[in-house]
Every structure is written in structure tokens, then in C-alpha cells.
Amino acid sequence: MTFGEKLAKAVAAHGPLCVGIDPHPSLLDAWGLSRTVEGLERFALTAVEAFGGEVSVVKPQAAFFEAYGSRGVAVLERVIADLRGSGTLVLVDAKRGDIGSTMSAYAEAYLSDGSPLAGDAVTVSPFLGFGSLQPALDAARATGRGVFVLALTSNPEGAEVQRAVAPDGRTVAQTIIDFATARNSGISPCGDVGLVVGATIGETDVDLAGFNGPILAPGFGAQGGSVADLKRLFGPDMRNVFPTSSRDVLKHGPDVSSLVSAVRRVRESL
């Protein structure tokens, strides 16, 4: 199946919610776990048990695993394998971006069949130029995976670049959206190039009307994003919008049943 077909199937079964696995040190503390690889593994696998088969997409944040070195990356590999084994789509939040052979190596790591770090999609940064992402775009298309390209992020510093105006009068964010729109053109039910647009950015000031791809909307829940914000930003037709909640759900751990109940409450609110 194409990535768009996989997403459509997942949403039909579980709705559009994406839940993050963010083993932030403060959350390890809150769960009564040590800030060690052992604590990381316990946290991550508990989240996998709760989220696998409950939501359409799970998004492990790679940085919190990489912080523990090779043993932490090994935990991330197991998280990816276990979630995919449960039939849950995995979006690896790694925000990779580079040029030439280096970007090709990132694509090999996160988008190639057989790589232990390859989920079903990966987040990428286009701020070395959208064309620098070509190796990742090609690898995703060849293997039925997806890429989610940063477009309008919720951090205040992002506006310095994303809302800057290019010589043709478009904002940088609009340029990214237009490139992604062209890449997805003619693909049904939606393309394999997604966008990351924060749920707490205020106003988008961009044209998303012709975009035929999934939109990841982080910041829903604990960071302040609401259903009303989603409707205001994306309009009433949000079939390809994936609100993302991490801390708002993870704060209910370490009890698995409490995590499952939290996921179901958030899912029903959507």
C-alpha cells in the first residue's frame, strides 16, 4: 500500500489522533523511574503496551532516546519494531535535514526496508532548501513510507525563518507548502509528503486549500491546542489532520489502564 492508503486505513480504524512517546526526564521522575537506560526502556515499553492498537499513529521522539547513546537507540529500535508489530503506524520524530550523500544516509536509516530505525514515516527539516530532501522523498515513495516536512512550527523563533518573505512575495512556509503540494499532486487518497503545522501557532497566514497530504498538528492538549484551534486553523474538513498529544496523555502513567483511558478520552474529543 501507499503511505496515504496506510493512513486512511489507520484513521478508519482508530481516528486521527497521534500520540507521542517523549521520555522526558521530568516524566521519568513523575513515573518513579530512574534517569537511566533501564528507566527509559520501562517508560517506552509501557507506552507501547498502552498505545499499540489504540491510535492510528505513534510518534517516538528520537532525541530522548539518543540522549542515552547506543543503548538508548536500541530501545528506540525495539519501540519501532513492537509498535509496527501491533499494526500501529510509527512516525519517528527525528527532524533530519542535510544535503547530498548525508541526506541519502539519513533516508537509508529512517526510510529503507530492513533498517531497524525505519518506521512508517519520519519528520524532516527543509531549511537547507526543499530540494535537499530529494533522497528522503524518493526513498519514502519507493518503500511506501511518508515524510513530514516542518512548515510552521509552534516555537516563537520559527517565525524568523518560516514567516520570512522570499523574493517572489511568498513566505518561506508557503514555499514549502507549495513544493509539498506539487509532490503530492494526483495521488489518492493523499500524498506521502506531509506537513508539520503547530496547533498553537495562532494564524497560519498560508494557503493550505490545495494541499493533498497529511498534516501533523503538534501542541494539542498540554501545550494549549484545542479542538477549536484545529477547526480555526484547518477548517471544518480535517480528515488529513493528525492532532498530536504527548504529555497530556503520558502524565497518566505509569499505569497502563490509565494511559489507555487517557488516549480514549482524547480520541473521543476529536
Side-chain angles (χ1 to χ4, degrees), residues 35 40-41 53 64 67 90 110 116 141 155 161 173 211 222 256 259:
R35 298 186 183 189
L40 170 75
E41 184 173 42
F64 290 120
V90 182
Y110 291 98
R141 184 69 52 86
N155 62 306
V161 174
F211 180 66
V256 171
L259 287 168

Side-chain angles (χ1 to χ4, degrees), residues 94-116:
K95 298 183 178 68
R96 295 302 191 244
D98 216 305
I99 60 173
S101 58
T102 309
M103 193 66 235
S104 296
Y106 281 138
E108 183 73 17
Y110 291 98
L111 294 163
S112 67
D113 292 333
S115 170

Side-chain angles (χ1 to χ4, degrees), residues 10 18 26 39 60 85 90 92 97 105 108 160 170 172 174 183 199-200 222 232 245 247 261 269:
C18 171
S26 64
V90 182
V92 181
E108 183 73 17
E160 299 171 5
R170 293 179 296 169
V172 171
Q174 187 66 60
R183 177 75 180 183
T200 58
R232 178 175 49 80
S245 183
R247 283 177 289 170
S261 295
S269 76

Side-chain angles (χ1 to χ4, degrees), residues 20-183:
I21 298 180
D22 294 8
H24 191 283
S26 64
L27 279 171
L28 293 181
D29 295 344
W31 282 28
L33 299 173
S34 61
R35 298 186 183 189
T36 62
V37 173
E38 290 75 21
L40 170 75
E41 184 173 42
R42 176 75 178 274
F43 181 98
L45 296 185
T46 299
V48 168
E49 182 181 353
F51 303 155
E54 281 290 335
V55 294
S56 56
V57 182
V58 173
K59 181 177 71 66
Q61 169 51 259
F64 290 120
F65 295 86
E66 293 169 4
Y68 293 87
S70 60
R71 293 178 65 197
V73 174
V75 174
L76 175 59
E77 292 174 353
R78 181 173 175 188
V79 166
I80 293 168
D82 287 0
L83 283 170
R84 297 192 82 202
S86 74
T88 302
L89 297 179
V90 182
L91 168 56
V92 181
D93 194 357
K95 298 183 178 68
R96 295 302 191 244
D98 216 305
I99 60 173
S101 58
T102 309
M103 193 66 235
S104 296
Y106 281 138
E108 183 73 17
Y110 291 98
L111 294 163
S112 67
D113 292 333
S115 170
L117 286 171
D120 298 282
V122 65
T123 54
V124 294
S125 173
F127 298 115
L128 290 174
F130 195 91
S132 67
L133 301 177
Q134 199 63 47
L137 301 178
D138 291 343
R141 184 69 52 86
T143 62
R145 291 182 167 88
V147 295
F148 283 80
V149 183
L150 302 179
L152 279 170
T153 57
S154 56
N155 62 306
E157 304 87 352
E160 299 171 5
V161 174
Q162 296 157 17
R163 297 186 188 272
V165 179
D168 63 4
R170 293 179 296 169
T171 62
V172 171
Q174 187 66 60
T175 301
I176 292 166
I177 292 165
D178 291 346
F179 274 122
T181 299
R183 177 75 180 183

